[in-house]
């Protein structure tokens, strides 16, 4: 446990300025109500910069935390500082889930504490599951890459394939039973998060415990394909 806590403190300390900027930009965006539809040019540009900064830093920080002790680069880590895979993965996931899932949910609850529970409670599960999905997906890609440039290249490739697959899967919509489509629309994005977070978890297990990069990449690819299929079903309007 002491080693896990040591890794968490080390990773947090090395990224503390970026974490502070990420948190500040996110809080500013939420409290300001997001990008304004109307207003001065300066307000629009400032809020746009904050939104982009918050999103890019989220992805970059996840990569930085996982690649601080890179399991792909055997020469630089495994042979010089052997650490049990369970402890290392627990430290990495513990930090990223606390920062990028638990902390935003706590902020959401604090912001909504004076509003009726019925108005925000249904959103809590959706926000939590979607954040977990994003964090685990980015973590899986980061763990499979040696550096930040390959990580962002991997994310771009994943998003590009996601878009192409959605176009390819669109032809399956009309042949799907209406009852199944209604069920998918009712469950919405938590269904994607729950079903396909398992593939991100499988990728992390393969790379941290087994050191099998190809298997981890296959898990990521299947997760991207499955997410594209489910997302296409969810965003296509139901027939009246």
């Amino acid at each position: 446990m002491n080693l896990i806590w040591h890794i968490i403190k080390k990773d947090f300390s090395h990224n503390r300025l970026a974490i502070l900027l990420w948190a500040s930009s996110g809080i500013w965006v939420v409290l300001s109500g997001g990008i304004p539809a109307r207003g001065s040019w300066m307000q629009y540009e400032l809020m746009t910069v904050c939104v982009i900064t918050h999103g890019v830093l989220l992805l970059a920080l996840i990569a930085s935390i996982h690649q601080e002790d890179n399991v792909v680069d055997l020469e630089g880590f495994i042979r010089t500082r052997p650490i049990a895979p369970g402890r290392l993965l627990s430290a990495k996931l513990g930090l990223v889930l606390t920062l990028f899932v638990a902390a935003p949910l706590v902020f959401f609850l604090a912001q909504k504490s004076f509003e009726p529970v019925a108005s925000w409670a249904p959103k809590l599960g959706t926000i939590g599951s979607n954040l977990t999905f994003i964090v685990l997906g980015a973590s899986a890609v980061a763990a499979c890459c040696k550096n930040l440039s390959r990580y962002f290249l991997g994310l771009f490739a994943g998003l590009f394939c996601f878009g192409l697959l959605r176009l390819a899967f669109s032809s399956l919509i009309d042949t799907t039973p209406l009852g199944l489509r209604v069920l998918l629309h009712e469950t919405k994005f938590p269904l994607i998060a729950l079903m396909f977070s398992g593939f991100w978890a499988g990728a992390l297990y393969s790379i941290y415990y087994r050191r099998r990069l190809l298997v981890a990449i296959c898990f990521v690819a299947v997760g991207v394909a499955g997410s594209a299929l489910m997302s296409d079903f969810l965003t296509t309007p139901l027939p009246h």
Side-chain angles (χ1 to χ4, degrees):
M1 188 64 187
N2 289 337
L3 182 57
I4 294 175
W5 181 240
H6 170 75
I7 296 173
I8 291 175
K9 289 193 297 182
K10 171 182 67 68
D11 290 342
F12 183 86
S13 177
H14 288 180
N15 297 282
R16 60 184 181 276
L17 294 180
I19 292 172
L20 177 61
L21 180 59
W22 168 80
S24 301
S25 60
I27 292 172
W28 177 264
V29 169
V30 172
L31 295 182
S32 301
I35 298 178
R38 297 179 180 179
S40 68
W41 174 84
M42 185 65 70
Q43 289 177 322
Y44 181 85
E45 291 295 324
L46 176 61
M47 193 56 60
T48 302
V49 170
C50 287
V51 170
I52 295 174
T53 299
H54 186 71
V56 172
L57 278 179
L58 167 65
L59 298 175
L61 280 168
I62 292 173
S64 178
I65 290 171
H66 279 279
Q67 294 175 356
E68 184 76 22
D69 301 294
N70 204 320
V71 293
V72 177
D73 188 4
L74 297 180
E75 292 291 337
F77 172 69
I78 296 300
R79 297 183 183 179
T80 57
R81 290 176 293 161
I83 297 175
R87 290 186 175 185
L88 184 60
L89 182 57
S90 297
K92 301 298 181 179
L93 281 184
L95 181 56
V96 297
L97 291 176
T98 299
L99 285 176
F100 308 123
V101 178
L105 289 179
V106 170
F107 179 76
F108 176 82
L109 288 173
Q111 186 189 20
K112 302 294 185 180
S113 60
F114 297 104
E115 299 180 12
V117 175
S119 66
W120 55 262
K123 300 178 182 178
L124 187 62
T126 300
I127 295 173
S129 59
N130 289 340
L131 285 176
T132 303
F133 178 73
I134 293 171
V135 170
L136 287 179
S139 295
V141 176
C144 294
C145 300
K146 288 186 177 182
N147 51 50
L148 200 61
S149 60
R150 293 187 180 183
Y151 164 72
F152 276 108
L153 180 61
L155 287 181
F156 174 79
L159 290 174
F160 182 75
C161 292
F162 177 85
L164 288 182
L165 288 171
R166 281 198 59 188
L167 292 176
F169 290 145
S170 61
S171 60
L172 300 175
I173 298 297
D174 295 332
T175 61
T176 303
L178 181 60
L180 177 59
R181 292 179 59 184
V182 171
L183 175 63
L184 294 176
H185 271 266
E186 289 176 350
T187 54
K188 293 296 182 182
F189 288 98
L191 179 64
I192 293 181
L194 291 175
M195 289 183 63
F196 295 103
S197 290
F199 290 103
W200 310 141
L204 290 170
Y205 176 83
S206 298
I207 196 67
Y208 272 91
Y209 281 84
R210 302 300 181 185
R211 308 285 188 255
R212 294 176 179 174
L213 179 59
L214 182 59
V215 175
I217 292 174
C218 288
F219 270 112
V220 172
V222 173
V224 170
S227 300
L229 177 61
M230 296 299 296
S231 180
D232 202 40
F233 278 109
L234 294 178
T235 54
T236 302
L238 293 172
H240 297 288

